[in-house]
Amino acid sequence: PGAVAAARPAGKPAATSARIRDVASTFVAMVSGGNTAGAATLFSYDGVLEDRSLYTSIVGVPAITRYLARVNHTSPFGRGVTLGHVVGGEAGGGFEWVSASSPVRTGAAALSINAEGQITRASIVYDSRDLSATSRNELAALTLEPLQ
């Protein structure tokens, strides 16, 4: 009873969807090139950007725009990062990234994507032990919105 899905040959991974590959590559290219406002527009209006290594969550496009602008030159996932391996499907996935300009050389990100192709959650992770205490403190301070 019911249809049976065709089985994948043993040892062969499922194909990564074009959607996750496109969203991940666009996001990384914009962040890497310093187009933080463009990167923020990839999020849904109530999207969440998490830096899991700093225990920080930034909610909403305006806040994500301001946050990315503040941290782009100092965050390991910032200017100059390159995209590594991408995996996932239509609703999201993950990717590895490499930084040539930070003591933190590698990291990973998980993306959740809505039906419109917008990022609803991006969770960035890296080994923050590779940062100096001063760098960690500076990044933590940049998570705060400046007073007007």
Side-chain angles (χ1 to χ4, degrees), residues 23-35 39 42 77-78 80-83:
V23 172
S25 64
T26 302
F27 182 50
V28 170
M30 288 182 168
V31 168
S32 180
N35 183 358
L42 298 174
F77 182 74
V81 296
T82 56
L83 183 64

Side-chain angles (χ1 to χ4, degrees), residues 114-132:
N114 65 17
E116 290 79 35
Q118 298 169 312
I119 300 170
T120 57
R121 180 173 297 272
S123 299
I124 311 294
V125 67
Y126 50 89
D127 189 348
S128 62
R129 295 176 298 174
D130 291 338
L131 295 171
S132 67

Side-chain angles (χ1 to χ4, degrees), residues 69-82:
R70 288 193 305 272
V71 302
N72 192 255
H73 290 286
T74 54
S75 174
F77 182 74
R79 187 174 283 281
V81 296
T82 56

Side-chain angles (χ1 to χ4, degrees), residues 7-121:
R8 253 187 345 259
K12 183 172 181 180
T16 298
S17 81
R19 174 181 269 182
I20 186 64
R21 191 177 311 282
D22 291 346
V23 172
S25 64
T26 302
F27 182 50
V28 170
M30 288 182 168
V31 168
S32 180
N35 183 358
T36 55
T41 65
L42 298 174
F43 284 80
S44 63
Y45 74 95
D46 59 349
V48 178
L49 173 63
E50 293 180 300
D51 184 322
R52 304 279 299 174
S53 299
L54 293 177
Y55 304 101
T56 300
S57 293
I58 310 297
V59 180
V61 171
I64 292 170
T65 302
R66 293 187 302 270
Y67 175 74
L68 287 175
R70 288 193 305 272
V71 302
N72 192 255
H73 290 286
T74 54
S75 174
F77 182 74
R79 187 174 283 281
V81 296
T82 56
L83 183 64
H85 185 66
V86 180
V87 296
E90 295 298 305
F95 61 89
E96 298 168 325
W97 52 267
V98 177
S99 175
S101 61
S102 170
V104 177
R105 294 294 185 202
T106 61
L111 299 178
S112 296
I113 303 171
N114 65 17
E116 290 79 35
Q118 298 169 312
I119 300 170
T120 57
R121 180 173 297 272

